[in-house]
């Protein structure tokens, strides 16, 4: 029998804001893994600079920049994207099966979609208190908007600031990442499992098959 190859994680994200968020998620997962006596896999992260990058860039970057330089590794690839772009599109611009198949052909062991419903900003709102604290607003401050980004911009406007998706990232450092992860545990669980962690009984625990 051959020894199992080491697992490496590849995260493809839409933009700089997403990258800042997943940096915090990975840091939290490494912390949880350490606490539970689990080994953290090596990770690679790439901002595709827009949702179209999943179709036009992901496979090329994966094959040329990651697989080529890291032989004898099983890659688990995560495609992390907002779902709002695709909700009302009868002919979505991206065929996710084709993207996954292309990555598998180039050496991916598994390809998993992380669907940010409806957007990464909706996830940030799970720590509304943290957002308000960052902006020096009362935690009960009310804000409205059609989308998560609208609601966050509404909060920013109260202190004469503007939230620009993909540009405004400093507040992410102030968010309670564990609190957000607990709220989106269904979507984030496949990533957690690769660190030996799983959402169970209201918290993240060591994953036992």
């Amino acid at each position: 029998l051959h020894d199992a190859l080491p697992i490496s994680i590849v995260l493809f994200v839409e933009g700089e804001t997403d990258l800042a968020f997943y940096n915090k998620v990975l840091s939290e997962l490494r912390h949880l893994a350490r606490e539970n006596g689990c080994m953290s896999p090596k990770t690679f992260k790439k901002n595709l600079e827009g949702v179209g990058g999943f179709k036009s860039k992901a496979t090329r970057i994966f094959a040329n920049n990651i697989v080529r330089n890291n032989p004898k590794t099983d890659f688990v690839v995560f495609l992390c994207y907002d779902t709002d772009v695709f909700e009302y599109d009868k002919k979505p611009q991206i065929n996710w099966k084709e993207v996954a198949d292309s990555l598998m052909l180039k050496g991916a062991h598994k390809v998993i979609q992380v669907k940010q419903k409806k957007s990464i900003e909706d996830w940030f709102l799970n720590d509304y208190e943290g957002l308000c604290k960052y902006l020096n607003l009362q935690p009960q401050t009310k804000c409205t908007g059609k989308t998560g980004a609208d609601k966050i911009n509404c909060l920013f406007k109260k202190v004469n600031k503007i939230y620009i998706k993909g540009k405004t990232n400093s507040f992410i450092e102030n968010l309670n990442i564990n609190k957000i992860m607990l709220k989106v545990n269904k979507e984030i669980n496949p990533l957690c499992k690769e660190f030996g962690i799983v959402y169970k009984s209201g918290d993240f625990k060591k994953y036992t098959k």
Side-chain angles (χ1 to χ4, degrees), residues 154-172:
C154 175
L155 285 174
F156 271 66
K157 281 181 176 178
K158 287 183 183 293
V159 292
N160 297 314
K161 293 184 178 183
I162 298 173
Y163 172 71
I164 303 170
K165 186 177 179 75
K167 301 285 186 185
T168 313
N169 302 322
S170 57
F171 72 93
I172 293 171

Side-chain angles (χ1 to χ4, degrees), residues 127-141 155 159 171 174-175:
D127 185 22
Y128 196 85
E129 190 176 312
L131 273 166
C132 289
K133 186 177 179 182
Y134 167 77
L135 295 166
N136 292 315
L137 293 169
Q138 292 298 314
Q140 63 270 26
T141 301
L155 285 174
V159 292
F171 72 93
N174 293 266
L175 295 178

Side-chain angles (χ1 to χ4, degrees), residues 18 23 31 39 59 69 81 86 101 103 106 113 128 142 152-153 158-159 176 179 194 197 206:
D18 307 64
N23 279 333
H31 168 71
M39 288 285 290
T59 300
N69 298 322
Y81 62 92
F86 305 98
D101 288 347
L103 289 163
K106 294 298 183 182
Q113 296 178 47
Y128 196 85
K142 294 285 190 291
I152 290 175
N153 197 33
K158 287 183 183 293
V159 292
N176 183 333
K179 183 178 182 180
E194 299 302 332
I197 303 298
K206 188 170 183 176

